[in-house]
Amino acid sequence: MEAKESLERDWSSLLPELLNLIVRNLTEISDFVRFRAVCMAWRSSTTITDLLPQFPWILECHNFLKDDLRFYSIHFGKTYSIHAAKSLGKWLIGLSINYIKIFDITRQVLSLLNLLKDHEIPIPAYDCDKYPYWKGPWQNQMGVQMLCYGPAGCRNPKLVFYHLDQNNWSELIIGSDYVNCDITNCNLFYLDGMLFIVLRDTGVTKVMDVSTNTPAYIIPPVEGYSTKGTEYIMAASGDILRVFQYCDPSADLRQYCFIIHRLHINESGSVCWVEVDNIGNHALFIDMNGGFVLRACDFAGIKRNCIYNLTKMRMGIWEAASCSVERIDIETGAREQFPYPLKKPRGWFVPVL
């Protein structure tokens, strides 16, 4: 009888202290969701903020979204499938850390979509006479979205910023004498109110203050600047990093290498890029379209001072593209490959409830 009574115990009456102890050990988002679905008592004992920060997933999908979206976690070695009803029938045009950027061609509406909540944030129209498109790397800061308005290939379209918290727009005049460049031949990066305009031909970086629409400073190119690679500019706890990705010509197979610089301000006020091999307690996540920085101490499984690189690889003209996921130690150059079972990777995605 005692054994039978123990089996029929009411699990909803567990002490809150014990429930909190269980939650603190749920490192995977799917376990956390199942925990909160057990009963009302378990759900009310936790909040969404109790979920530990999740190791980034890899999103797999086509440009046109018509099915459930699939993700893969290299940390847990698991594949997840998410049904996001508001994404169906839309076009995927980018990622923004924990949102995807979608376009409804029927309504001509750009939106941000949190896939786990199926929560959509429409981006209001700024210029109804011109076609809008997101400019710059896909992995943008969530609070401000950078868009261009103008026909494809336009040398000087309107460059505008939508501020989600204020629900308003700001426009940057990019045809000024200070910039004096063809925007289609530039890489643009928005970081904490500053726009970094990298001229591809010369490697010169011109920085503008978006809030005041005024020039800030000009950063000369790094020594030995090359156009044969991809450049990213990222923010890491107050530091500005320049990350240059290139293909190692001496490797037997296609292998990507990285050179990292930190923005340095001299006592005289001049600025320059200084090469570094240590980014402290940070890790870089880079894919085919952009990248972002995370603090390693905030996430289980992330190794500090490393690059997590996701790239498509094509060995020959007639061979299908494969995917490479690797972790690179910035200081030692040591590499570790991760298995990846999906076929069409689109980029890193941070799951957030």
Side-chain angles (χ1 to χ4, degrees):
M1 289 295 293
E2 291 180 358
K4 184 178 180 180
E5 289 178 0
S6 65
L7 291 174
E8 295 177 352
R9 179 175 299 167
D10 183 7
W11 292 101
S12 65
S13 63
L14 287 180
L15 295 175
E17 294 80 3
L18 182 56
L19 293 175
N20 291 333
L21 180 62
I22 295 173
V23 168
R24 287 201 296 268
N25 287 275
L26 298 179
T27 58
E28 188 178 358
I29 191 170
S30 58
D31 291 336
F32 181 82
V33 172
R34 293 188 186 102
F35 174 93
R36 301 187 80 232
V38 169
C39 63
M40 186 61 70
W42 286 30
R43 183 180 182 87
S44 60
S45 70
T46 62
T47 63
I48 297 299
T49 57
D50 291 328
L51 175 65
L52 297 175
Q54 297 293 293
F55 194 105
W57 294 350
I58 299 173
L59 168 64
E60 182 201 49
C61 65
H62 299 270
N63 290 331
F64 185 70
L65 306 176
K66 58 180 180 179
D67 301 308
D68 291 355
L69 298 175
R70 295 210 302 167
F71 300 85
Y72 182 73
S73 169
I74 63 172
H75 180 55
F76 293 108
K78 291 184 178 181
T79 301
Y80 305 91
S81 180
I82 295 178
H83 178 74
K86 292 181 180 178
S87 71
L88 300 179
K90 313 288 178 57
W91 290 89
L92 174 69
I93 58 175
L95 285 81
S96 186
I97 309 297
N98 43 37
Y99 279 71
I100 65 170
K101 301 174 181 180
I102 57 176
F103 180 63
D104 187 332
I105 195 170
T106 303
R107 297 185 298 139
Q108 295 286 298
V109 174
L110 294 166
S111 298
L112 295 167
L113 180 65
N114 183 316
L115 293 171
L116 275 66
K117 294 182 178 179
D118 203 21
H119 172 61
E120 184 177 4
I121 305 175
I123 304 296
Y126 179 79
D127 190 333
C128 297
D129 296 329
K130 293 186 173 64
Y131 185 81
Y133 57 95
W134 262 289
K135 179 69 178 175
W138 282 13
Q139 305 289 12
N140 205 344
Q141 295 185 36
M142 181 58 201
V144 178
Q145 298 296 321
M146 179 170 61
L147 299 92
C148 282
Y149 279 80
C154 177
R155 291 173 58 91
N156 289 300
K158 288 184 178 180
L159 184 61
V160 296
F161 301 85
Y162 178 64
H163 307 265
L164 270 71
D165 56 342
Q166 304 171 14
N167 191 28
N168 63 15
W169 292 93
S170 61
E171 181 178 343
L172 187 68
I173 302 175
I174 56 178
S176 64
D177 295 336
Y178 172 74
V179 177
N180 190 27
C181 63
D182 178 2
I183 196 172
T184 62
N185 195 36
C186 299
N187 293 324
L188 305 180
F189 304 90
Y190 176 84
L191 301 171
D192 300 326
M194 308 297 284
L195 179 68
F196 291 75
I197 307 169
V198 182
L199 311 185
R200 294 196 194 106
D201 292 339
T202 63
V204 172
T205 302
K206 299 184 177 183
V207 185
M208 294 194 69
D209 187 326
V210 174
S211 62
T212 61
N213 206 5
T214 57
Y217 45 83
I218 298 177
I219 311 172
V222 299
E223 184 177 354
Y225 172 77
S226 172
T227 58
K228 296 180 179 180
T230 305
E231 183 171 352
Y232 308 97
I233 295 181
M234 308 176 185
S237 299
D239 286 334
I240 302 297
L241 302 178
R242 174 190 182 269
V243 182
F244 184 71
Q245 179 189 44
Y246 66 97
C247 188
D248 184 359
S250 64
D252 294 335
L253 297 176
R254 179 173 293 181
Q255 178 173 282
Y256 287 97
C257 301
F258 295 86
I259 301 175
I260 301 176
H261 293 80
R262 179 176 56 83
L263 184 63
H264 177 69
I265 302 178
N266 299 314
E267 294 181 359
S268 61
S270 60
V271 293
C272 63
W273 295 114
V274 177
E275 186 172 349
V276 296
D277 62 5
N278 194 320
I279 58 172
N281 189 37
H282 295 92
L284 309 180
F285 284 79
I286 295 175
D287 55 37
M288 296 74 68
N289 308 285
F292 54 87
V293 183
L294 296 178
R295 289 205 320 162
C297 62
D298 294 336
F299 295 80
I302 293 183
K303 187 177 180 181
R304 66 184 298 277
N305 198 37
C306 284
I307 298 172
Y308 290 82
N309 184 39
L310 167 67
T311 184
K312 291 180 181 178
M313 304 182 70
R314 188 184 297 275
M315 301 305 175
I317 298 177
W318 306 109
E319 297 181 42
S322 61
C323 175
S324 171
V325 186
E326 63 179 348
R327 180 174 62 201
I328 306 170
D329 188 295
I330 296 174
E331 185 174 8
T332 66
R335 296 171 179 263
E336 179 181 357
Q337 291 282 339
F338 294 93
Y340 180 74
L342 306 183
K343 296 180 179 179
K344 295 183 179 295
R346 294 303 302 265
W348 293 108
F349 172 84
V350 181
V352 174
L353 292 176

